[in-house]
Structures are given as C-alpha cells and as structure tokens.
Amino acid sequence: MSRVEPSKIWWSADELAASKLPTLPGTRQGVNLLAAAWRLQAGCAERKAGRGGGWQYHWSVLPLEARKALLARTEVAADAKPERGAAWAAFDGLPQKTKDEATRRLTIIQQVEELVSIGTTQVAAVDAIAAQTTKASPRSIYNWFKMIEGVADEDRLAYLAPRHRLVQRKATSSTETRPFMEFLTSLYLRLEAPTFKDCYRDALRVAKSKGWTTVHERTAIRRIEKDVPRVTTVFAREGLKGLMRCFPAQIRDRSGLHALEAVNADCHKIDVFVEWPDGTINRPQIIAFQDLYSNKMLSWRVDHDPNKVMVMAAFGELIENWGIPRRCLFDNGREFANKWMTGGAEHRFRFKIVDNEPLGVLPLLGIQVTFATPAHGQAKPIERGFRDFASSIAKDVRFAGAYVGNKPTAKPENYGDRAIPAEKFLQVLAERVAEHNARDGRLSATALGRSFDQTFEESYATAPIQKASEEQRRLWMMGQHTGKLHKHNGELKFQGNHYHSDWMSEHPSRQVVARFDPEDLHSGVHIYGTEGDYLGFAECRQKVGFFDLSGAQRTAKRASRIKKAEKALAKAHAPISPTDLGDALDETAAPALARPAAKVVSPMFGKQPAKLQRPPRKIDVTQNPAVEAAREAMILNMPARTAPKDAPIGATPGDRFRRVQEILERSEAGKPIGEEEAKWVNGYRQSSEYKGQLVMFKTHGASGIR
C-alpha cells in the first residue's frame, strides 16, 4: 500500500508560520512555543544541515486540522491508500455520523459477499442488495469494493469512511485579508474584553481608509475561533484568573490524614475598626493555624500587620497545646517564609539563600514545609474558614458601627461611627473562634455532620502525636539572629545590647546563631552553632537597645509556565499594540458635526407644563394569569426526575428538596446532623432532580416546588 504524505515532509518554524495552516500561529515566535514539545518526540525534530542551522519538524507532529489541510493541498493518486495506522487515526477523528455511514457500507459489502459465497454472481448479488437498500446504487457498491481492495478484513471499516471529510474548503487568500484580520484580532484579544461587534465596526472603519480587503462579520469570528486556541483567547481577554478556570483545580482528599498530621496557616484582615492601647485605629490582621484533617482552628494571634513575631507566637501556642505537626502548608508571604521559621527549607523563594544560612524552626523540628500560591484560595483550605470569619466575626452585633465592609464599594451607612477597643475585640474574637470550632452540622468529608472539635478529638485520641521537649521549646519560643562573636573576648552585640558569658571567651570570631525572646531582649540569649548545636546561654551585660524587637521593626511551577506561554501566544495572535490600534482609530475619526441652530423659536404664553403621571403600580406577578400559565407549563414540561437510591425521607421530588433545605438550614444554624444525613445530602445535591427543583425554586419560590 502506498502511504499518503504531503509533498513537503520537513518544515522550519518560519515555513510553518508562513503556511497559514489552521490552528498554527502566524509568527515564528508562536510556532517556536509549540515546537518546544515537538522536540521531545523521537524522530520528529532535527537540526537543519548546512549554513544557518536551526530546527525543522516532521509534518506528522502538526495538529490534526493542520495535517488535514496539508494533505488537501497535495494531489494524491486516485487509487492511493493511507497506511493502516494512518487510516485508523483518521477514522478515530471523524464524527459519529460519518462512522455510522462507514458501518452501513461495510454491512452492505458483507451482504453482497454472503450472496456470492452461496453461488450467486457478484453482479447479481450487487443488483439484489442495491434493490433492497436505499442510498446505495450498484455503482456506489462497486466503488466501495474498490476502496477496500487489498485491505485486511479487520481494517475495512477505516477505509470505508467517506473521503470528503478530509477535503478542506478553499479559503480566501490570506495575503489579501491578513492586515484586516490581524487588526481585528488585536482589537478583540484585549483585557478590556470588548464585544466582537464593536471590534468589527472599528476594524471596518480603519480598513476603509487603508484599502484593506475585508471579510463578513460571521466569517471573521469563525476564523478567529479556528486560528486562535480557546485557552489563548480566554487568557488574552480575562487574564490569569480566566486562564486558571480553563484547568480543573486539584482535588485533595484529606480523609487519609489524621489529626495534627498536617496544618496550614494564613493571615486575614478583619473588616472592623479596632482602637489599640496606643491610640492607633486600623483593621487588625489575624494569623491562624488550622488542622487540615478536621478544619479546626488550633491557634491564632492578632496584630496591626502580619509579621514573623506573631507567626512564631501562634506556632508556639500550637506546639505547646497540641504537639508537633509533621507538615505545614504556608503561602510565600514574608511573614511565613522568614528565616526564623523556614531557614534552610527548599523552594522557599523568599529572601537570599546563602550556604551557611542557619536552619529555621521548622527544619530543626523535622517539619516538612510546603509553600502554596499566595492569594489562591484553592491551595489553602483555611481560606474557607476565613470566609466564615468575614461574616460571623466582622458582622457581630457587638461590632455595630465599626464594620467597614469587605471592599471600598461596600461600606455601610454607619461606616466609621466607632472603633472597638482592642481588649473587647480580642474577647469577642476568642468567643467566635471557639464557636466556629464547636458548631455542629459540618458537611466536610471528614466531619459528616459533626463539629470540627468532635472530628479533631476523635482522631487526636488515637493518632501518634509528638510532644515538644524543653530543648525544643527554645526553638519556637524565640527569634534568631546570625552574628559573629568578638574576635578577642567572644562578646555578642545585637540591637545595641551586649551579651556575654565566660564560656564565650573560648570561641572568638565564631559564627553563631542567637535565639532570643522577641518581647524581652534583656532576658539574655541562647547561643547555637550554625549547624543547630547548642553552645550555651549568654546574659545581657549592657542593656542599651530596645527590649522589645517588635517595637524596633504571601499557582505552581505549572501555573507559571502556562501563564508565560499563553502570554507569548496571546501577543503572537494579537501583534498590534493597543497604542497602535488607538492611533489607527484616531486617524479615521469622523470630523465633529456642526451643531445646527434653531431657525424658528416658538415661545410659551401662559401654557403650563404637563403634569408628570404617577408611575403605574407594581403588579403582583403571582396574580398575573399569563405568568401563572407559564409557570404551570414549565412544571408540566420538565422531564421526569428519577429519585436517588436510598433516599431516606420524601416520597416526591418536592419532599426531598424541602428535606435538603431543612438539613442545610440546620447546618448553617450549627445544629447536629447525622452521618447518614450528611452523606445523603452531599450525594443528592449532585443529582439532576435536585438541580431541576432548585431552578424552579429560584424562579417561582416555594410555590414552584411540587
């Protein structure tokens, strides 16, 4: 069998850009972005021989649409057949309607062969089957036999598919319409996300002044949808957030963890004005540590702004009260990726990493650190808890007048009426965090109707928990400072204070790590070697500097790569900058029309302006017969919903829907929910019956539920 191939097998990036094949970028830079993956496929890319060098690529690595167009441009002998693998690959890409036609042809051929096998001549068999079958003349059947000449029986189906599916419609000359399409595409692929009609109208105006060949509006949008990948269009018009919606979020199953095996932490600005003891009024920041298995908030601290001192204090409370976790999930904010906490940890991507950097608290305790994407809620489950805080804490009635809204456009009318004293704020905050943990009816995969407290306590009682020793407490209770002892007497200077003990005289000029209480620098420091070995204690001999350090001073390698590539592709598909687009529109702007002057002025003599009519009274839609008839028709025309298996309560869809609403209300109110109820609700809410009832409820209210 002959193999169907285009006349040109190997293509350079420049040749592919100029070929104007569908789904390929029109610039060399855009092609090179796609070609990075082609070079990884064996035998599909090679260096060009001779002067200049560069890469060239085999036509088989091109996208399917581009290969089809390339084959359509190549004149192939009428009796040529593709090889077996290529035939099945092409068959697999055909729509089901075309595959069904190939199956019909194969059935007719088998019927003809069956008649021939019992002694009938082929001519008589073909005529007999053609007479019994519609859309199959004898000439067509003979053509189908020719299509499978020399083909194995098991491969006939692939060769019987209608060949017209590979024929591409001849497009308008790209040279003629290219300037217009580039201008139109550049207008359309912008973050302002203009409508296509507006872009097309502006492009027509510029094309008229420059003499460009244009295409019809519907043709233009089809070309853009065909030539520009959907993901690139979304990225160019919606930015990184739109791009991330094109890819599914990672699904994390936490049921395999146990209590305190892993924690995550983040900071959150609470939307309440608080007055601090020094008279400062601002919105406080809370840093909290949450157990990943149960979602319980284990420890927290509040300050003006997030900083490493409050992170260390909250982390110390976590270890003191509960134990040492095995893993910590942070974002890359400075307050978490500081050297006190994560010094020496891999992939920190914050601050300068040096070879002799002292180990932070987490590496010294053997805690594995994972850094999540900042400002990306899907990467940190604690963001869901902070959403509850934004409602239950910030809008507490005791904070009335101090709530500021969650954005500048959502300020309440009593904005700035008062500020809550810090002591009162901390009291209410502690109460609300405890209530958050103790609320029943949680529907997470691990809680199943229980509270976060109950979920945590059940697992904590049987989990292997590591407690901190007295030596380890010195790590998380203190900050750290890297310094060098005096070259003669071994003294250490820090924040203007002088620290020394007799044993330090034996270690002049040694590089050390001093660990201290950030809230009391005058209480002395513990001296460690850079490898973490404990050397001894040094008292403060000369108290000069600050005694309180705080008084002296946040989508993954894959997301970064996607963002960079899509940004380059968007630029390749929209080569004209917004500035140039605007200049072109300015050049074609119509001159301002002169304002017409009134020729006849009719004065009013004694006439009074007509009275404004009272706007018509609103009509209750529930009493409108037309609306009622439409609602009844919608209910009657809804497809029958099958009840989910093992539905515990409710003989009708309406009963089951109302049961779900009642359970959800109990969950919001913090009332107990049984484990079986929680499992049923989570499953039933995914059913088509529930979704249909929800649409009726939102459209017609409770009267739409039957």
Side-chain angles (χ1 to χ4, degrees):
M1 275 179 243
S2 60
R3 176 176 178 144
V4 177
E5 288 183 334
S7 56
K8 184 175 177 60
I9 303 299
W10 293 92
W11 296 73
S12 67
D14 288 325
E15 291 169 338
L16 288 172
S19 67
K20 294 304 174 185
L21 291 171
T23 70
L24 286 182
T27 63
R28 178 172 57 84
Q29 295 85 347
V31 173
N32 282 331
L33 287 171
L34 295 177
W38 300 345
R39 298 186 198 127
L40 302 178
Q41 303 180 36
C44 294
E46 64 180 21
R47 289 281 189 180
K48 290 191 296 184
R51 189 175 180 180
W55 287 92
Q56 58 182 3
Y57 308 98
H58 195 267
W59 77 283
S60 61
V61 299
L62 301 180
L64 179 61
E65 292 298 326
R67 281 181 283 149
K68 286 182 178 180
L70 199 55
L71 287 174
R73 297 180 185 178
T74 305
E75 293 185 2
V76 183
D79 59 346
K81 294 185 179 66
E83 65 176 359
R84 179 175 182 268
W88 278 112
F91 181 82
D92 191 50
L94 295 175
Q96 188 59 43
K97 185 177 180 180
T98 306
K99 293 178 180 178
D100 293 341
E101 173 61 19
T103 303
R104 188 183 74 88
R105 294 179 178 183
L106 180 59
T107 302
I108 292 174
I109 287 177
Q110 290 172 344
Q111 291 173 349
V112 171
E113 291 178 335
E114 186 176 352
L115 290 178
V116 172
S117 67
I118 60 175
T120 307
T121 64
Q122 187 181 42
V123 174
V126 169
D127 291 340
I129 297 300
Q132 299 174 6
T133 309
T134 59
K135 298 181 182 180
S137 66
R139 182 70 264 168
S140 297
I141 298 177
Y142 286 124
N143 288 337
W144 300 341
F145 271 104
K146 190 174 181 180
M147 292 170 66
I148 60 173
E149 246 178 36
V151 176
D153 292 350
E154 62 270 18
D155 296 329
R156 286 179 168 184
L157 185 63
Y159 290 85
L160 284 171
R163 292 185 178 181
H164 72 274
R165 296 294 308 185
L166 295 176
V167 177
Q168 297 291 322
R169 295 174 60 183
K170 187 176 180 180
T172 307
S173 173
S174 59
T175 305
E176 298 174 2
T177 61
R178 181 174 180 178
F180 174 76
M181 288 304 302
E182 282 188 350
F183 191 88
L184 176 58
T185 306
S186 299
L187 277 174
Y188 185 64
L189 299 183
R190 292 185 290 130
L191 286 173
E192 293 78 10
T195 64
F196 186 77
K197 285 186 176 295
D198 289 341
C199 297
Y200 185 78
R201 185 168 55 250
D202 290 342
L204 279 182
R205 194 176 88 191
V206 176
K208 184 177 180 180
S209 67
K210 295 185 178 292
W212 293 341
T213 302
T214 63
V215 296
H216 191 272
E217 180 179 349
R218 293 180 62 184
T219 303
I221 188 61
R222 282 199 300 266
R223 285 196 188 179
I224 292 178
E225 291 174 349
K226 181 179 180 181
D227 294 341
V228 184
R230 174 187 169 272
V231 174
T232 303
T233 301
V234 172
F235 177 67
R237 289 173 58 84
E238 300 180 28
L240 183 58
K241 290 185 177 180
L243 176 63
M244 291 298 99
R245 288 197 298 270
C246 295
F247 300 92
Q250 181 181 357
I251 300 175
R252 297 174 172 88
D253 182 14
R254 291 183 266 165
S255 60
L257 301 175
H258 62 71
L260 209 65
E261 180 176 352
V263 298
N264 73 141
D266 201 1
C267 59
H268 174 68
K269 182 175 285 189
I270 300 180
D271 302 319
V272 173
F273 276 148
V274 170
E275 182 177 4
W276 302 87
D278 61 358
T280 302
I281 296 178
N282 58 22
R283 291 189 296 162
Q285 293 266 12
I286 180 173
I287 281 181
F289 281 80
Q290 178 197 47
D291 177 53
L292 277 178
Y293 170 76
S294 64
N295 288 334
K296 177 177 180 175
M297 297 293 179
L298 299 175
S299 63
W300 51 273
R301 283 292 185 277
V302 176
D303 207 337
H304 297 278
D305 296 295
N307 56 74
K308 58 187 179 183
V309 175
M310 62 188 296
V311 172
M312 292 288 285
F315 183 71
E317 180 185 341
L318 164 67
I319 296 181
E320 184 72 22
N321 293 340
W322 306 106
I324 302 176
R326 296 182 183 179
R327 297 182 180 182
C328 280
L329 175 65
F330 297 144
D331 72 13
N332 206 25
R334 288 179 174 269
E335 62 275 8
F336 294 107
N338 65 81
K339 295 188 178 184
W340 292 6
M341 288 286 289
T342 60
E346 295 183 359
H347 312 302
R348 188 172 79 240
F349 305 124
R350 276 287 188 182
F351 308 100
K352 188 175 181 179
I353 300 177
V354 295
D355 293 337
N356 61 345
E357 177 179 271
L359 293 178
V361 174
L362 300 184
L364 285 172
L365 291 175
I367 300 174
Q368 182 178 342
V369 184
T370 302
F371 292 103
T373 306
H376 186 50
Q378 293 174 337
K380 302 185 296 294
I382 197 173
E383 296 281 6
R384 176 62 180 85
F386 284 157
R387 193 174 76 183
D388 287 350
F389 283 10
S391 176
S392 62
I393 295 178
K395 297 181 181 180
D396 189 288
V397 66
R398 290 164 287 189
F399 296 161
Y403 177 66
V404 301
N406 59 355
K407 53 185 177 181
T409 58
K411 295 179 180 179
E413 289 192 10
N414 59 353
Y415 175 85
D417 280 3
R418 69 183 184 122
I420 305 300
E423 183 178 356
K424 179 66 174 178
F425 171 78
L426 294 176
Q427 172 193 337
V428 176
L429 178 61
E431 173 191 326
R432 285 297 188 179
V433 172
E435 188 274 337
H436 172 85
N437 291 332
R439 189 186 311 159
D440 288 326
R442 298 293 190 175
L443 295 175
S444 67
T446 54
L448 292 176
R450 300 173 296 175
S451 67
F452 294 156
D453 278 339
Q454 293 169 336
T455 306
F456 179 83
E457 289 168 6
E458 179 182 322
S459 178
Y460 187 79
T462 58
I465 305 298
Q466 180 183 359
K467 293 290 186 176
S469 64
E470 189 61 38
E471 291 75 19
Q472 288 174 319
R473 284 190 176 89
R474 290 201 296 264
L475 300 180
W476 55 260
M477 287 181 65
M478 299 183 175
Q480 68 179 23
H481 165 71
T482 303
K484 196 173 185 179
L485 300 182
H486 192 274
K487 62 181 180 180
H488 296 309
N489 55 35
E491 184 182 59
L492 177 68
K493 289 185 179 180
F494 175 56
Q495 292 291 328
N497 301 312
H498 297 251
Y499 302 90
H500 189 267
S501 288
D502 294 341
W503 63 269
M504 297 172 66
S505 300
E506 301 294 329
H507 303 276
S509 301
R510 180 168 180 176
Q511 194 79 12
V512 297
V513 178
R515 297 193 181 276
F516 53 89
D517 185 349
E519 297 180 353
D520 189 3
L521 297 180
H522 294 168
S523 63
V525 297
H526 293 270
I527 308 297
Y528 289 78
T530 56
E531 300 299 324
D533 49 317
Y534 182 64
L535 300 180
F537 177 78
E539 62 183 28
C540 184
R541 294 290 183 89
Q542 188 175 350
K543 304 176 182 179
V544 177
F546 283 97
F547 63 88
D548 183 354
L549 183 62
S550 60
Q553 11 211 265
R554 182 169 273 275
T555 187
K557 180 179 179 181
R558 175 174 175 269
S560 177
R561 172 171 54 82
I562 292 174
K563 177 183 176 182
K564 184 177 180 181
E566 290 298 338
K567 188 174 182 179
L569 279 174
K571 186 176 181 181
H573 282 289
I576 306 176
S577 68
T579 302
D580 294 339
L581 293 171
D583 292 342
L585 290 175
D586 288 339
E587 293 173 3
T588 60
L593 298 177
R595 184 176 178 181
K599 301 299 183 181
V600 179
V601 179
S602 176
M604 292 179 59
F605 298 101
K607 294 182 180 180
Q608 298 298 323
K611 293 184 179 180
L612 295 176
Q613 296 182 354
R614 183 188 303 272
R617 185 178 58 183
K618 292 184 178 179
I619 302 175
D620 185 3
V621 295
T622 60
Q623 303 300 321
N624 190 324
V627 175
E628 284 294 306
R631 181 179 66 81
E632 293 294 334
M634 184 182 295
I635 296 174
L636 293 175
N637 291 331
M638 283 186 62
R641 309 290 185 181
T642 56
K645 295 182 179 180
D646 303 326
I649 295 179
T652 66
D655 293 338
R656 289 188 285 273
F657 180 81
R658 283 185 283 270
R659 179 59 175 167
V660 169
Q661 300 307 308
E662 184 267 332
I663 293 175
L664 292 177
E665 290 175 0
R666 284 164 46 201
S667 175
E668 290 295 328
K671 297 180 180 179
I673 293 177
E675 180 176 344
E676 292 301 321
E677 282 185 316
K679 289 181 179 179
W680 176 76
V681 167
N682 287 334
Y684 181 72
R685 292 175 71 184
Q686 305 302 319
S687 68
S688 59
E689 177 183 290
Y690 174 80
K691 294 176 181 178
Q693 293 291 332
L694 186 60
V695 170
M696 296 301 301
F697 180 76
K698 291 181 178 180
T699 305
H700 303 293
S703 62
I705 304 302
R706 298 293 176 88

